[in-house]
Amino acid sequence: MTREKIIRFNIFLFILFTAISFAQTKISGNLFDNENNLVSNVTVVVYDNNDNILSYSISDLEGFYNVKFTTSLKEVKLLIKAFNYEVVSEIVSNETQIKNFSLKPTVTNLREVIVKESVIRKKRDTLSYNVASFASEKDRTIADIIAKMPGIDVLPDGKILYQGKPINKYYIEGLDLLEGKYNLANKNLPYNQVSKVQILENHQPIKVLDSLVFSESAALNIKLKNNVSVTGQSELGVGMNPILYEANITPLLFTKTKQLLASYQTNNIGNNINNQIKTLTLEDLIDNFDNNNEKEDWLSIQGISTPNFSEKRWLDNRSHLISMNFLQKLKNEYQLKSNIFYSNDYFLQNGSTTTQYYTSLDTIRLSEIKQNKLFGNNLETNLILERNAKNNYLKNKFQFKGFWDSQMGFLNQNSIQINQRLTNHFFSFNNNFKNIFTLGKQLVTFHSNVSLNKTPQNIILTPGQFSDLLNNGNAYEQTKQSLENKVFFTNNALSFTKALKKFSINQRVGFLYENENLNSQIYADLIVVDDDEFQNKFNWSRVKIYSQSQVQYKNESWRFDVNLPLNFYNFKWSNFQDNKGNNNRFLFEPRFSISNEITSFWKMSAIYNRSYQFGNVNQLYNGYILSSYRNIQRFNSVFPEMINDSFSFGINYRNPVNSWFGSFFYTYSILQNNILYSVSINQLGASELQTVRIDNERKNHNLNFKLNKYISEIKSTFTLNSSFSKSTFFQLVNNNLNEISNNNSVFELKINSEVSDKFEVELKSNVVFSKNKIQETENKLITNQLHSFNLNFYPKENHYLALKSEFLINNSFTTNVKSEFLDFLYRYTWKKKNIDFEFQLNNIFNIVSYTTIAVSDFSYTETNFQLRPRQVFFKMLFSL
């Protein structure tokens, strides 16, 4: 798509938005009683000719209602309902108008009824899901319940999406205890302690900005049943084939002034407990990215692609996790939080891979048999002081991260034994300070972030690799790559925010400085390869001075957000070979977003963004680095620059009255790059990566569609997801310029249905199509299918039986691979003592290997992965 077409498309969308706004009808007014008093909390509903709800509104504290709808009918029915008032029903013309109503009081005679709470209720920007309505006998934690709620998706790693977008906060009683690591609570908080799960739409986490800076993201809040909750769970389990164990002791305490979550977990049954300490909320992920303190792996052993289904079927682990999380409310709305996470892991991977590299001239085939041993030893601590008041915000977060990781790999490549040994450490200190206060009639924000990182890593390969490049073509015993990277980073900004009627104006100025020092050497048989091409003493620095003007506008229906940043960049770098560089850029990087709440159910949005990305240390060093046993790379071209123009358009539908939720998103982006990666692959699959000065473009298209429906009568949730992506770009492979096109399509269907009090069905079907094209050659279509079908039985009170099956189909280079898995579970609940006894028989058919296909830019990789064998497991679960 050319720039002219993008402009035309933007004009078309502007006309579409304008047409929609003109086609939209708004009826508003005030509601009075017979004494001329304003009446609040009155429901105003608009119906079509067939009594289908078009939209609705609830009058506010001042008796004002405002209902918006879109229809081609000439007339609609307006129905006004309120307790102890007569129902008002009136046919009105389909035109924007102001209509006030006087409600007549009446006595409502109540018959004996059974009051049943609504499954989903909406009040302003808050959706409340009644937990009891979604619960069944098999459920234990709040994570089990949230996965069934329409409009909400839970990804395999535990990340929660609302209407297809990640939540920005996860609260328990309005407090953010876990700073984004909410899986700890989600998987350990018993659902019977929770009354409601709330979705806070358009949630602004900082109270002082709530009326000034709007947000398009949603948060999730857990409402507990009791003001004081002492809860949690404890699990103990043992099993056979081989000796199996699991333990989980997680007490939780929630009061009005403090929250506590402590946990010790260990297992070797394939439960990856590290997923519970991953940062998942959008706000905290952005903070981690901005803080520049994430671990970067420069070196690696040759990995094995892991299967795309449940980790419990293939993860061979020995894992330990200790976590302590505490929040205490102090005086004057201050909070003190501490989070400590320590994990110790051992993972064993066995498998084989067959890789085919496609070039315009020939196909290179590589076969490998692999055994990898991965050791993880990680510590993270956070100490946070926060005040989130309506007139002031202050937060200081001090963080330490330490990774003492190591890996061993034993590999057979075409009958050649290769041993790999990697030490992969990382240490980081970070302090993030933010203060928002009032100065006259405007808000002032001061933000300062400082971090210091160190990454010492080295890999030893036996026998020596790349002998032609490193040892004059002579075979040798051992190759060692050592590397250390040190990073200092600081970002400091001052901003002023002021409200002018429905506008919010923010002016921000700031200064960013980053410095990295990279040192690396390659050894052949413990002797340094004494050539400047194989060493790095690289110093790189980045200075960014920025000024950002932001204007937001918000009324009842429309929201506009315009960001106009002017940024000055200065980059400097030097290597010990006197390779020096200096680059300055003065750039405009605008972002525009617009959204319109068409009716109470429909919402549309569009975003355009331009950003620039520049080369950093791992794209500029010009001495070779051996990143793995068959990959060596350097970057000896010009300074990398990339321009990213992206446009997205979305439609959301949510109808809590009928429990319908849907979303559609389209994203198109053009990435203009001034360099091209050149890959040279020999007949043994060893690759050398360099960069070449060639202007090129990468174009990406993405479509996503989601639809959810909950039927309360049969307690069933139906979900349909689909996505389509296409990317086209150029790649230099063995000195030949190739145009590459990758296409992926995903279709997913999920059904969770309580057929009767004794029987429940869970179905999930996922199909992925992958295909790539190199020049005019189309390669084979790869299809991956995963179908799971679970039957849950409740034959008698306190008894639960389950059959869990998975059926997988993958077409490989030579044949179709089918795998069937079946598990059995029986649980007896001793309700008097609140104890569950479980018996599990997993992988009944004893499927011990699985073959999968992965498609990359110019290669197909077929992986055969060793799975966990049939196993028997006994478990006791105590709810605290």
Side-chain angles (χ1 to χ4, degrees):
M1 187 181 288
T2 64
R3 291 184 178 278
E4 291 76 12
K5 289 183 178 179
I6 294 176
I7 293 172
R8 291 194 204 108
F9 191 49
N10 288 339
I11 294 173
F12 164 74
L13 285 175
F14 176 76
I15 295 172
L16 177 65
F17 265 88
T18 305
I20 289 172
S21 66
F22 280 120
Q24 186 184 82
T25 302
K26 299 179 184 179
I27 300 177
S28 60
N30 291 100
L31 304 175
F32 303 90
D33 61 16
N34 58 348
E35 295 181 356
N36 211 31
N37 297 317
L38 294 168
V39 184
S40 61
N41 292 317
V42 176
T43 303
V44 181
V45 187
V46 179
Y47 293 90
D48 64 10
N49 295 336
N50 298 316
D51 284 336
N52 296 315
I53 298 176
L54 297 175
S55 188
Y56 71 97
S57 176
I58 299 175
S59 63
D60 60 20
L61 295 175
E62 297 179 354
F64 178 77
Y65 75 93
N66 181 16
V67 61
K68 298 168 288 182
F69 58 94
T70 302
T71 180
S72 59
L73 296 173
K74 292 183 178 180
E75 294 179 328
V76 295
K77 181 169 73 173
L78 205 64
L79 198 70
I80 301 174
K81 295 181 179 180
F83 186 72
N84 280 342
Y85 289 94
E86 290 184 2
V87 174
V88 176
S89 180
E90 184 174 324
I91 302 298
V92 298
S93 59
N94 180 17
E95 60 183 26
T96 297
Q97 55 187 296
I98 297 175
K99 287 189 71 67
N100 299 324
F101 290 92
S102 179
L103 307 181
K104 295 181 180 180
T106 186
V107 176
T108 303
N109 295 317
L110 298 178
R111 295 176 295 173
E112 183 178 351
V113 295
I114 298 175
V115 178
K116 191 174 182 180
E117 189 171 2
S118 301
V119 175
I120 307 172
R121 296 189 65 186
K122 182 178 186 296
K123 187 174 182 180
R124 298 183 178 86
D125 284 345
T126 300
L127 282 178
S128 295
Y129 295 79
N130 181 25
V131 168
S133 300
F134 294 91
S136 62
E137 279 293 320
K138 70 177 180 61
D139 300 321
R140 287 298 174 264
T141 67
I142 193 60
D144 299 326
I145 309 300
I146 291 175
K148 302 179 187 180
M149 294 175 170
I152 302 176
D153 289 311
V154 181
L155 302 185
D157 64 355
K159 182 182 292 183
I160 298 173
L161 310 180
Y162 174 67
Q163 293 288 73
K165 296 181 179 180
I167 60 173
N168 63 1
K169 285 293 180 182
Y170 181 102
Y171 297 115
I172 301 174
E173 287 293 336
L175 299 176
D176 182 14
L177 169 66
L178 296 167
E179 291 283 310
K181 294 179 171 59
Y182 54 74
N183 255 343
L184 266 173
N186 225 30
K187 291 184 177 295
N188 293 287
L189 175 60
Y191 81 88
N192 55 17
Q193 299 293 316
V194 182
S195 62
K196 299 182 190 315
V197 172
Q198 296 179 325
I199 292 294
L200 314 177
E201 297 180 326
N202 306 314
H203 177 66
Q204 170 56 258
I206 300 176
K207 294 179 181 179
V208 71
L209 298 178
D210 192 34
S211 59
L212 290 175
V213 181
F214 63 77
S215 168
E216 296 287 350
S217 299
L220 186 146
N221 182 47
I222 301 293
K223 291 291 292 182
L224 301 173
K225 290 181 177 179
N226 303 312
N227 291 333
V228 177
S229 293
V230 180
T231 183
Q233 65 178 3
S234 177
E235 298 179 28
L236 295 173
V238 294
M240 296 177 289
N241 195 20
I243 301 290
L244 304 173
Y245 62 86
E246 181 182 31
N248 178 3
I249 303 172
T250 305
L252 299 96
L253 169 67
F254 303 105
T255 72
K256 291 294 185 181
T257 59
K258 65 178 57 144
Q259 295 186 353
L260 171 69
L261 189 159
S263 184
Y264 170 70
Q265 301 180 47
T266 181
N267 79 91
N268 70 341
I269 63 171
N271 181 10
N272 189 357
I273 50 183
N274 280 316
N275 284 335
Q276 296 188 34
I277 56 172
K278 288 177 62 177
T279 300
L280 299 174
T281 50
L282 182 62
E283 291 286 324
D284 297 291
L285 283 170
I286 292 173
D287 283 345
N288 287 344
F289 178 79
D290 290 341
N291 294 347
N292 197 30
N293 66 336
E294 291 299 294
K295 182 174 182 280
E296 182 175 3
D297 293 326
W298 291 77
L299 313 175
S300 64
I301 66 172
Q302 197 64 31
I304 310 176
S305 296
T306 56
N308 59 349
F309 50 91
S310 174
E311 287 181 316
K312 290 188 176 182
R313 299 206 181 279
W314 53 263
L315 186 66
D316 191 348
N317 70 312
R318 313 284 186 276
S319 300
H320 302 268
L321 171 65
I322 300 173
S323 178
M324 177 65 73
N325 305 273
F326 180 72
L327 182 151
Q328 175 67 58
K329 280 188 171 183
L330 307 174
K331 293 181 179 180
N332 299 321
E333 299 186 76
Y334 279 95
Q335 296 175 15
L336 182 64
K337 289 188 280 189
S338 65
N339 310 104
I340 302 173
F341 312 98
Y342 172 73
S343 64
N344 180 278
D345 298 285
Y346 165 70
F347 302 111
L348 176 64
Q349 299 177 340
N350 285 285
S352 61
T353 60
T354 300
T355 305
Q356 295 189 40
Y357 294 97
Y358 294 95
T359 72
S360 58
L361 300 178
D362 61 356
T363 299
I364 299 169
R365 185 183 177 92
L366 175 68
S367 296
E368 300 167 311
I369 301 173
K370 305 174 184 177
Q371 183 187 78
N372 293 338
K373 298 180 178 180
L374 315 178
F375 302 88
N377 207 9
N378 310 324
L379 174 67
E380 179 182 335
T381 63
N382 301 309
L383 183 62
I384 303 159
L385 179 66
E386 183 175 12
R387 183 174 191 257
N388 193 2
K390 291 184 177 181
N391 60 350
N392 178 260
Y393 177 81
L394 182 144
K395 183 176 182 179
N396 191 83
K397 178 178 180 179
F398 177 78
Q399 181 182 72
F400 168 76
K401 291 183 179 180
F403 292 78
W404 296 265
D405 297 343
S406 62
Q407 300 176 9
M408 298 175 64
F410 305 96
L411 184 145
N412 188 300
Q413 183 206 72
N414 301 331
S415 301
I416 299 173
Q417 182 69 38
I418 300 171
N419 295 328
Q420 310 159 77
R421 191 166 73 244
L422 170 72
T423 58
N424 186 4
H425 297 172
F426 175 78
F427 308 100
S428 169
F429 292 92
N430 176 265
N431 193 80
N432 197 351
F433 175 80
K434 189 171 188 177
N435 188 18
I436 304 175
F437 56 92
T438 303
L439 184 64
K441 294 184 178 181
Q442 61 186 355
L443 289 178
V444 179
T445 302
F446 175 68
H447 182 208
S448 179
N449 180 40
V450 181
S451 65
L452 182 64
N453 307 335
K454 183 179 180 182
T455 310
Q457 300 178 5
N458 67 74
I459 187 170
I460 298 174
L461 306 172
T462 307
Q465 302 297 305
F466 294 94
S467 57
D468 289 342
L469 194 62
L470 301 177
N471 204 40
N472 300 318
N474 300 316
Y476 63 106
E477 182 70 20
Q478 183 187 93
T479 307
K480 177 182 178 181
Q481 172 72 69
S482 67
L483 178 148
E484 184 177 83
N485 190 46
K486 297 179 181 178
V487 181
F488 172 77
F489 174 87
T490 183
N491 187 9
N492 304 276
L494 185 67
S495 62
F496 302 88
T497 307
K498 189 172 184 178
L500 292 174
K501 295 184 178 180
K502 294 182 179 180
F503 288 89
S504 172
I505 300 173
N506 178 276
Q507 182 63 46
R508 187 183 188 202
V509 293
F511 172 81
L512 179 151
Y513 175 75
E514 183 178 8
N515 180 262
E516 292 194 45
N517 282 280
L518 173 67
N519 288 276
S520 71
Q521 298 86 28
I522 298 178
Y523 299 81
D525 288 337
L526 303 180
I527 300 174
V528 174
V529 179
D530 193 15
D531 190 318
D532 289 350
E533 283 191 318
F534 305 102
Q535 301 180 49
N536 285 289
K537 293 182 180 177
F538 194 82
N539 182 273
W540 176 86
S541 66
R542 170 172 65 123
V543 173
K544 177 182 176 182
I545 302 173
Y546 53 92
S547 173
Q548 175 180 300
S549 299
Q550 180 183 27
V551 178
Q552 290 188 334
Y553 171 83
K554 175 184 175 182
N555 66 9
E556 296 168 356
S557 304
W558 289 93
R559 294 188 178 196
F560 298 91
D561 187 354
V562 179
N563 279 277
L564 305 173
L566 293 173
N567 302 321
F568 171 77
Y569 297 90
N570 171 258
F571 302 91
K572 291 182 180 180
W573 62 92
S574 63
N575 210 337
F576 69 103
Q577 302 103 323
D578 285 333
N579 174 33
K580 296 182 179 179
N582 190 355
N583 222 316
N584 296 318
R585 291 288 186 273
F586 187 80
L587 300 171
F588 179 54
E589 301 179 76
R591 182 182 185 275
F592 305 95
S593 70
I594 178 174
S595 65
N596 176 236
E597 190 168 333
I598 307 167
T599 70
S600 302
F601 303 144
W602 290 94
K603 180 180 179 181
M604 300 179 68
S605 62
I607 300 174
Y608 168 75
N609 184 50
R610 163 168 279 206
S611 63
Y612 291 80
Q613 299 176 27
F614 302 97
N616 52 23
V617 170
N618 53 17
Q619 294 175 298
L620 283 170
Y621 63 84
N622 58 357
Y624 280 107
I625 290 180
L626 186 73
S627 58
S628 68
Y629 97 90
R630 56 182 171 90
N631 292 283
I632 190 168
Q633 59 192 37
R634 66 171 175 175
F635 303 92
N636 53 358
S637 67
V638 297
F639 181 69
E641 298 183 48
M642 186 169 70
I643 305 173
N644 185 5
D645 288 296
S646 66
F647 173 82
S648 63
F649 173 73
I651 302 174
N652 282 295
Y653 176 81
R654 45 109 172 88
N655 184 343
V657 178
N658 295 324
S659 299
W660 274 104
F661 293 81
S663 63
F664 168 83
F665 291 99
Y666 168 70
T667 302
Y668 173 71
S669 65
I670 300 178
L671 286 77
Q672 301 178 70
N673 208 331
N674 69 333
I675 63 170
L676 201 62
Y677 292 104
S678 175
V679 182
S680 298
I681 305 171
N682 64 23
Q683 293 301 316
L684 296 176
S687 64
E688 179 183 344
L689 178 67
Q690 300 192 49
T691 53
V692 180
R693 173 68 174 90
I694 298 177
D695 291 333
N696 62 95
E697 285 187 342
R698 183 180 186 119
K699 299 178 181 179
N700 300 303
H701 299 266
N702 290 279
L703 279 171
N704 290 277
F705 172 79
K706 294 179 182 288
L707 189 64
N708 299 101
K709 170 63 176 174
Y710 179 74
I711 303 176
S712 58
E713 291 79 7
I714 56 174
K715 295 187 72 173
S716 300
T717 303
F718 299 86
T719 303
L720 177 65
N721 297 329
S722 62
S723 64
F724 309 89
S725 64
K726 179 180 180 179
S727 60
T728 56
F729 54 96
F730 289 90
Q731 181 86 55
L732 275 169
V733 182
N734 287 353
N735 296 319
N736 293 290
L737 184 63
N738 300 300
E739 183 178 11
I740 299 173
S741 175
N742 287 340
N743 296 272
N744 290 279
S745 302
V746 180
F747 300 91
E748 183 180 66
L749 172 67
K750 293 190 291 185
I751 299 174
N752 188 297
S753 178
E754 190 175 308
V755 180
S756 70
D757 293 339
K758 304 290 185 181
F759 182 46
E760 185 179 24
V761 174
E762 296 173 305
L763 170 68
K764 182 177 180 181
S765 185
N766 183 280
V767 183
V768 180
F769 300 97
S770 303
K771 191 173 185 178
N772 78 344
K773 178 181 177 182
I774 301 177
Q775 296 295 89
E776 298 302 319
T777 303
E778 289 194 7
N779 294 309
K780 183 178 180 180
L781 175 69
I782 299 299
T783 305
N784 295 297
Q785 300 183 50
L786 171 60
H787 309 281
S788 62
F789 186 64
N790 301 337
L791 299 175
N792 304 309
F793 301 92
Y794 312 101
K796 295 175 62 178
E797 186 179 3
N798 304 333
H799 295 266
Y800 163 55
L801 296 169
L803 285 173
K804 301 182 179 182
S805 64
E806 285 183 298
F807 182 57
L808 301 103
I809 305 175
N810 295 296
N811 64 324
S812 65
F813 300 132
T814 56
T815 184
N816 286 344
V817 180
K818 298 180 181 179
S819 302
E820 296 180 48
F821 299 93
L822 182 65
D823 303 331
F824 171 76
L825 181 146
Y826 167 71
R827 178 193 295 160
Y828 171 73
T829 301
W830 187 8
K831 286 197 173 180
K832 185 176 180 181
K833 299 294 184 180
N834 208 15
I835 300 175
D836 291 332
F837 299 93
E838 276 190 6
F839 167 78
Q840 299 176 16
L841 179 58
N842 298 323
N843 194 6
I844 293 174
F845 300 141
N846 200 30
I847 307 298
V848 295
S849 65
Y850 174 74
T851 300
T852 186
I853 297 293
V855 182
S856 67
D857 294 344
F858 51 87
S859 68
Y860 280 32
T861 301
E862 178 179 315
T863 301
N864 184 274
F865 199 94
Q866 183 174 309
L867 306 178
R868 301 181 67 91
R870 181 191 298 120
Q871 55 192 38
V872 178
F873 198 69
F874 302 88
K875 183 165 72 171
M876 296 174 61
L877 187 148
F878 309 82
S879 292
L880 304 178

